[in-house]
Amino acid sequence: MTLQTLALRDFRNYAQAELELSPGVNVFCGENAQGKTNILEAVGLLSTMRLFRSGQKRDAIRFGASQAEVTGDFFAEKREMSIHAVIPSAGRVQLTVNGVKQKRLSDASGLLRTVLFCPEDLLLIREGAAARRRFMDIALSQLRPNYARYLSEYGRLHENKTRILKDAEEKPSLLDTLDDFSFRMSMIGGHIVRYRAYYLRSLMEKAQGIHASISGKDEQLSYVYRTVSTVDDPFASAKDIGMRIWEHACAHRAAEIAAKACLSGPHKDDLELTIGGKSAKAFGSQGQVRTCALSLKLAERDMFFDDSGEYPVLLLDDVLSELDAKRQDFVLNRIENGQVLITCCEPEKLAQVEGGRLFAVENGTVKKVRKKR
């Protein structure tokens, strides 16, 4: 999988930019706050339909502009493809794939596959459960387009149910529809839990091997998938899991009304990681936590390759500067295959990476400097 060209118009701090990318390594170098990360975020938008630094897509529009546009031409699954996204200041994002307008953003999930590794990901283990759910959701939405659709539907149901719970005190009649929303959320949730369980089992098998290669076999990486307590088998059929979630929702109905919040469902799932039998979040050292996060990200990349036979586009956002020399070498030695986009302030640190292109980024402009040898 190779992103061949990327075009930006009024995206973040770019008035206009057109880039021709190497199928190998592309290094974007410049001082801080010049627009390096914006390039990676534009690529990520075409892949996941999300902005990894902001949940509000309108934040991507350059100050004073009415809309932002991002276009990517890429080669995947032995064919040429193109995705064009228009982000208006008001209204929904407009998405076109190969000239055909898409009805739903989820319809384009998984066409251009990417794996993002940024400094915030090194804190993935320390953060709350939402960060680890987001990690699972972004990967699964690309690997399994149906998952993206289930997740989108679940999000809409969750939003409506939350509104009912918050407004029910003033409008008690709203509670007449509460059980219907809870049941539909439960059944959709059954699919989400099952997808996550199978994904995590495969991902962690790879992550454990990578982790052992970095840290040694004495520090074994393990995991537990935490979902709704009534779900005793997350690998069961989606219907059976959904009924288990529905059972939990019924038992917590009164509590949800009192709390005015959805207390039951896979929107509260978590991935618990342990190193040597101890909680990585609570007891892991800084080095252990970074090794754990690094293992998850590299395992994610390998999962994409196993699924399609193509490496996803790897986006490394200034992450090398946050790693020690040993971990830097480990990352660089694993990106010999596939396309990579790297941002950094000191390109000399990437001297060992062969081939590719070097770009200079300054105040929203990008210039190809030279071909790296």
Side-chain angles (χ1 to χ4, degrees), residues 112-163:
L112 174 63
R113 294 180 171 185
T114 61
V115 170
L116 168 71
F117 194 17
C118 60
E120 289 76 15
D121 289 323
L122 293 171
L123 303 175
L124 175 67
I125 315 304
R126 298 281 197 207
E127 291 187 355
R132 290 179 288 280
R133 285 195 301 274
R134 186 167 59 251
F135 165 71
M136 292 187 284
D137 290 343
I138 290 175
L140 264 170
S141 292
Q142 297 182 72
L143 282 168
R144 299 290 180 263
N146 280 339
Y147 179 84
R149 297 184 185 102
Y150 286 129
L151 193 65
S152 179
E153 176 65 15
Y154 188 89
R156 286 192 290 269
L157 292 170
H158 180 268
E159 182 180 351
N160 287 328
K161 181 178 174 180
T162 300
R163 190 178 299 117

